[in-house]
Amino acid sequence: RQNFKYHEFEAWFDARSVYEPRVLKVEERNYPSEYPVLSRQIDISPYHFPFLDTVLFKFKAELPNPKQVGIFRYYPQSRGWSSVSTTYDAGTATYARKVRSPGIYALMRDIYPPTVWFRRPEARYKKLLQRLIVKMGDRGMGVNDSSIKVWLNGRRICTGYDCACEYDPDWRSFTIKELGDLKAGKNLLRVQVKDYAGNKTDRLFGFTL
């Protein structure tokens, strides 16, 4: 096992990570980001070189509200940053991520709440309607589907996993099949959701049948 340290960044290489000793180039970058950047941007190349076993990348930083903070990766093709799965050790104030290839990484704070929008009902008539679909997504750490709460005409029909609703992360859609509280005329649908950073969205939608 070998490790490399540069300021708050550290990489741990297992003995099986490469067949033989390799030269990796490490640089600091300063790419623009819509998220607050909380560390140096570490660029490890070549990007096309895959590791044979996972390599542990760590950032050590004592920051307020660490739940909002995670490791992000920069993608040169899209010129954007995306959150990657991060584990946090409160005892050492360390954020960690196992990777299978080099790249550009940095610590950032996710400050943006999830987006929620309501699709027009598939039927205009109450007796023909079988489901309601709510679209939701998050450009940071992702939607926490266990936090979803839904009210239909004032009655709560969903709380986390305890509901007759279904969230599909691939389609970024939330399907509501419990429609007993629908009525002819105006209906109100309220949706609350959080992302894994704790940012919250509360939306109220009206529609007529």
Side-chain angles (χ1 to χ4, degrees), residues 118 121 124 126 152-154 181-189 204-209:
F118 179 56
R124 293 181 57 191
K126 175 179 177 291
L152 182 57
N153 290 328
D181 291 289
L182 277 180
K183 59 185 179 181
K186 187 175 181 180
N187 295 269
L188 292 176
L189 180 70
L204 183 65
F205 305 96
F207 59 98
T208 302
L209 298 175

Side-chain angles (χ1 to χ4, degrees), residues 8 59-66 88 90-95 107 109:
E8 71 274 15
F59 289 87
K60 187 172 183 179
E62 295 186 4
L63 300 168
N65 196 5
Y88 175 68
T92 60
T94 300
Y95 302 82
L107 268 188
R109 187 179 298 280

Side-chain angles (χ1 to χ4, degrees), residues 25 27 47 55 58-59 61 64 82 90 140-141 143 145 147 165 179 190:
K25 187 177 182 180
E27 298 178 285
Y47 310 142
V55 175
K58 294 181 177 181
F59 289 87
S82 291
M141 295 184 182
V143 171
D145 53 341
S147 73
C165 310
L179 304 179
R190 182 184 177 190

Side-chain angles (χ1 to χ4, degrees), residues 13 17 24 44-57 73 75 97-105:
F13 292 85
S17 299
L24 295 177
I44 298 181
S45 60
Y47 310 142
H48 57 77
F49 174 67
F51 298 129
L52 303 177
D53 198 0
T54 54
V55 175
L56 189 63
F57 283 0
R73 180 173 182 173
Y75 293 90
R97 161 72 176 178
K98 291 182 178 180
V99 302
R100 295 305 298 258
S101 63
I104 305 168
Y105 296 86

Side-chain angles (χ1 to χ4, degrees), residues 74-86:
Y74 183 76
Y75 293 90
Q77 300 86 350
S78 61
R79 298 182 180 179
W81 294 88
S82 291
S83 172
V84 297
S85 177
T86 305

Side-chain angles (χ1 to χ4, degrees), residues 96-198:
R97 161 72 176 178
K98 291 182 178 180
V99 302
R100 295 305 298 258
S101 63
I104 305 168
Y105 296 86
L107 268 188
M108 297 187 183
R109 187 179 298 280
D110 180 0
I111 60 173
Y112 298 103
T115 56
V116 178
W117 63 101
F118 179 56
R119 282 184 52 177
R120 180 182 301 176
E122 297 174 347
R124 293 181 57 191
Y125 298 94
K126 175 179 177 291
K127 63 180 181 180
L128 299 178
L129 193 60
Q130 297 182 346
R131 61 183 181 177
L132 296 172
I133 297 178
V134 179
K135 301 287 286 185
M136 56 182 64
D138 185 71
R139 56 180 174 175
M141 295 184 182
V143 171
N144 183 353
D145 53 341
S146 67
S147 73
I148 298 173
K149 297 179 181 179
V150 179
W151 291 261
L152 182 57
N153 290 328
R155 189 174 80 87
R156 188 158 67 181
I157 60 174
C158 176
T159 303
Y161 295 121
D162 182 22
C163 62
C165 310
E166 181 180 345
Y167 175 65
D168 188 331
D170 295 327
W171 291 94
R172 297 195 304 171
S173 63
F174 187 72
T175 303
I176 303 168
K177 298 180 180 179
E178 187 178 313
L179 304 179
D181 291 289
L182 277 180
K183 59 185 179 181
K186 187 175 181 180
N187 295 269
L188 292 176
L189 180 70
R190 182 184 177 190
V191 180
Q192 286 183 354
V193 62
K194 295 180 180 180
D195 60 16
Y196 285 106

Side-chain angles (χ1 to χ4, degrees), residues 1 6 9 14 20 36 38 61 89 105 115 125 140 160 172 180 206:
R1 183 184 296 271
Y6 181 75
F9 175 78
D14 188 81
E20 58 187 17
L38 306 175
D89 185 341
Y105 296 86
T115 56
Y125 298 94
R172 297 195 304 171

